[in-house]
Amino acid sequence: TEIDWKAYMQEVEGFANGTLDYTQLKGDTGPLVYPAGFVYIFLGLYHATGRGSDIRLAQYLFAALYLLNLLLVFRIYCRTSKVPPYVFFFMCCASYRIHSIFVLRLFNDPVAMVILFLAINLFLEEHWSWGCLLFSLAVSVKMNILLFAPGLLFLLLQRFGLLGCIPKLCICALLQVVLGLPFLLVNPVGYLTRSFDLGRQFQFKWTVNWRFLPEEVFQNRAFHATLLLAHLAGLGLFALHRWHSSKESILTLLKDPAKRKPASPPLTINNILWHVFILFSSNFLGVCCSRSLHYQFYVWYFHTLPYLLWCTPTTKLAHMPKVLLLGVIELCWNTYPSTVCSSLSLHICHGLILLQLWYGTAPMPVSHSPSPSRKRTAMSKKAQ
């Protein structure tokens, strides 16, 4: 259970010893393929755990990280009031795989997701600059956070317009430069190709979602291009028909919010619901179209599934199928090694959720009523 942890420690040990050429940072599982934020965070864990030797202490630290993650996720769900309370039992106690990813295997995926959920909490509080800073920090730990980026860009355009969102995007870019600067100064090409390698091949033996395909199809570049086109098409359709709330053209997002008709309102409970929906559905579309999902990738979207299932209107009789979907997805992720049946079942579940999101939601009408839980008459003035 400590293979990945040892590899992480070996990768950051080179940096601790003064190696700044990213291509020279390696471990037992291969070269370092994560951005610089990963190096700094796991270097801290390297020193805190006696050069990675005190694995029990590392597990305690990740257990605390798990609890922090739940706190941040629960805070998001409390702001939306969409998910019935009993579902939180499944989120806390019913996933062996999630507990393993956090506390047993000590992957970097949970670290990135905790930072991401903290950023989303800041977005919901209208602290956009701080949220963008933490969003970029999460990306610097692992690139899967970029699956949320289309949704975040849409929200920034909706909230600030084209000119207004440029400073927020600069915050994201500047942090990446600052974190990677020691490596960029030594070997910029090596750093960029290793830490942001979008064309990296995945091993067929670890795939959870494409086991039913022949391996030659799984590794085929044409298949990868098809998935990318499907992802872009899905994002385009959702942006045009599910995320966009105005009757005007989506190009109105480029305008100054004060010049739109109607003008962008202060943050309301409806807008909070829609912020979460846009971010979570953006990530989910990326997961559905991923070239491969490995077992630790479950944490990329596990905590968003209850919201995606319950964000649509639900009768009392319709709760059971949604709980059943959660159970089948959990079963698929706990089948090792994956099988034709488990991978097909996972795609069927994903497809059912996508259909529900498409047919069960409509563009959120612009609301001008203040949030009943937040008595803020000038929320827009607090936007940072």
Side-chain angles (χ1 to χ4, degrees):
T1 61
E2 57 191 67
I3 295 174
D4 294 276
W5 171 258
K6 281 187 174 180
Y8 292 164
M9 295 298 101
Q10 291 165 350
E11 290 164 357
V12 300
E13 186 175 34
F15 177 64
N17 293 332
T19 302
L20 295 178
D21 184 345
Y22 225 67
T23 61
Q24 301 304 312
L25 299 178
K26 302 176 182 178
D28 288 342
T29 58
L32 174 59
V33 292
Y34 308 119
F38 162 86
V39 176
Y40 300 126
I41 291 174
F42 276 82
L43 180 65
L45 292 171
Y46 171 84
H47 290 299
T49 58
R51 298 184 178 182
S53 61
D54 193 345
I55 297 177
R56 178 60 60 87
L57 176 58
Q59 290 180 305
Y60 285 138
L61 292 173
F62 270 77
L65 191 72
Y66 173 70
L67 295 176
L68 175 60
N69 185 75
L70 286 179
L71 177 64
L72 294 170
V73 171
F74 286 177
R75 191 175 186 277
I76 294 170
Y77 278 73
C78 285
R79 295 294 303 276
T80 63
S81 301
K82 275 288 188 179
V83 179
Y86 68 84
V87 176
F88 293 108
F89 166 79
F90 296 96
M91 193 183 294
C92 293
C93 307
S95 179
Y96 164 81
R97 180 63 65 189
I98 292 298
H99 295 162
S100 171
I101 292 168
F102 268 89
V103 181
L104 186 62
R105 300 302 297 271
L106 310 176
F107 284 112
N108 63 329
D109 305 75
V111 179
M113 292 306 299
V114 168
I115 301 171
L116 181 277
F117 285 126
L118 180 55
I120 293 177
N121 273 277
L122 289 170
F123 294 143
L124 298 185
E125 295 293 337
E126 288 275 86
H127 298 304
W128 292 94
S129 295
W130 284 108
C132 287
L133 187 74
L134 285 173
F135 180 87
S136 184
L137 179 61
V139 171
S140 76
V141 176
K142 193 158 187 179
M143 279 201 305
N144 70 283
I145 304 300
L146 288 174
L147 296 179
F148 290 88
L152 176 58
L153 177 61
F154 186 94
L155 290 177
L156 289 174
L157 288 171
Q158 184 184 62
R159 183 66 183 80
F160 299 103
L162 179 60
L163 293 179
C165 82
I166 290 176
K168 313 302 178 187
L169 298 178
C170 288
I171 290 173
C172 296
L174 183 61
L175 182 67
Q176 295 299 322
V177 173
V178 170
L179 292 175
L181 191 60
F183 309 105
L184 289 169
L185 292 174
V186 174
N187 185 354
V189 175
Y191 174 71
L192 293 173
T193 54
R194 280 289 173 84
S195 59
F196 296 99
D197 183 8
L198 297 175
R200 185 160 58 100
Q201 286 280 13
F202 293 103
Q203 295 183 25
F204 184 67
K205 67 178 181 179
W206 296 117
T207 188
V208 176
N209 58 332
W210 296 115
R211 179 66 63 182
F212 61 90
L213 293 177
E215 185 171 359
E216 55 271 20
V217 175
F218 173 80
Q219 299 288 4
N220 192 286
R221 292 291 185 182
F223 174 62
H224 301 164
T226 302
L227 289 175
L228 177 59
L229 290 174
H231 185 197
L232 294 175
L235 288 171
L237 288 171
F238 267 75
L240 288 169
H241 301 290
R242 289 297 174 267
W243 298 350
H244 189 48
S245 60
S246 173
K247 294 181 180 179
E248 297 184 8
S249 167
I250 196 170
L251 295 178
T252 57
L253 293 176
L254 303 179
K255 296 181 180 179
D256 185 324
K259 297 179 181 178
R260 296 175 191 157
K261 296 179 181 180
S264 296
L267 193 67
T268 66
I269 187 63
N270 279 346
N271 288 336
I272 289 172
L273 292 172
W274 220 236
H275 283 20
V276 176
F277 172 74
I278 289 172
L279 290 169
F280 284 7
S281 60
S282 172
N283 178 64
F284 184 69
L285 286 166
V287 169
C288 291
C289 299
S290 291
R291 289 188 290 124
S292 183
L293 294 175
H294 295 177
Y295 286 95
Q296 66 268 32
F297 297 178
Y298 190 23
V299 78
W300 291 6
Y301 75 128
F302 170 79
H303 294 97
T304 71
L305 285 173
Y307 185 83
L308 293 174
L309 284 167
W310 270 271
C311 68
T312 56
T314 304
T315 64
K316 290 184 178 180
L317 294 177
H319 283 267
M320 188 55 66
K322 296 185 178 184
V323 174
L324 180 62
L325 270 178
L326 288 177
V328 174
I329 290 173
E330 178 69 22
L331 183 62
C332 294
W333 282 97
N334 279 287
T335 301
Y336 177 81
S338 62
T339 63
V340 170
C341 181
S342 69
S343 60
L344 275 173
S345 298
L346 186 62
H347 278 288
I348 291 171
C349 291
H350 288 174
L352 291 173
I353 295 173
L354 276 178
L355 287 174
Q356 174 186 285
L357 293 177
W358 183 259
Y359 290 106
T361 61
M364 181 67 69
V366 176
S367 172
H368 293 271
S369 58
S371 170
S373 62
R374 299 279 174 175
K375 297 180 180 179
R376 298 178 182 179
T377 60
M379 181 70 84
S380 60
K381 294 181 181 180
K382 293 186 66 177
Q384 297 182 24

